[in-house]
Amino acid sequence: MDEITAQELKDRLAHSSNIQLLDVREPEEFEICNLGGELIPLGELSRQSARIRRDIPVVVICHHGFRSAQAINYLTQRLGFDNLLNLKGGIHAWATQVDPSMAVY
């Protein structure tokens, strides 16, 4: 599984908007802190997979990187996606390494 660090994601977002952010946490978690992007909770992936782009890189985000890894395994093995990157350490890594003003939980 391909991964991207919080710093690498920050750099990519600064130089290109040609990336989709897919957050697979629950709505209550998304309300606490998020990077924008599409919110599709892990349990909704099968029903909402049409919202996920196949033509550009998609960074999958969760709290610490475990649910996003599950999401990537599902999307690649069951639906044939090949453009997914796991945010290593999840939104928590972003908050601690990139944006210390972001709420943590």
Side-chain angles (χ1 to χ4, degrees):
M1 172 179 323
D2 292 329
E3 291 188 312
I4 188 169
T5 67
Q7 187 61 52
E8 289 168 340
L9 177 57
K10 178 185 177 196
D11 295 344
R12 282 182 84 163
L13 290 171
H15 294 98
S16 171
S17 60
N18 200 25
I19 194 165
Q20 182 183 22
L21 301 177
L22 171 60
D23 199 315
V24 297
R25 297 175 298 149
E26 294 300 313
E28 309 81 57
E29 294 175 283
F30 191 81
E31 287 177 26
I32 295 169
C33 60
N34 66 74
L35 297 176
E38 301 284 332
L39 173 63
I40 304 176
L42 186 59
E44 295 287 317
L45 280 178
S46 63
R47 289 185 290 281
Q48 297 191 42
S49 63
R51 294 174 49 200
I52 305 169
R53 306 264 312 253
R54 290 181 181 262
D55 59 333
I56 61 173
V58 176
V59 177
V60 187
I61 302 164
C62 70
H63 191 198
H64 288 288
F66 300 110
R67 280 178 283 176
S68 52
Q70 287 181 303
I72 289 172
N73 285 333
Y74 172 78
L75 291 168
T76 56
Q77 293 173 7
R78 297 285 179 100
L79 302 178
F81 280 84
D82 63 0
N83 58 324
L84 308 173
L85 298 165
N86 189 26
L87 178 59
K88 187 176 181 178
I91 194 81
H92 186 78
W94 180 276
T96 58
Q97 299 168 17
V98 174
D99 183 3
S101 69
M102 178 177 273
V104 293
Y105 65 101

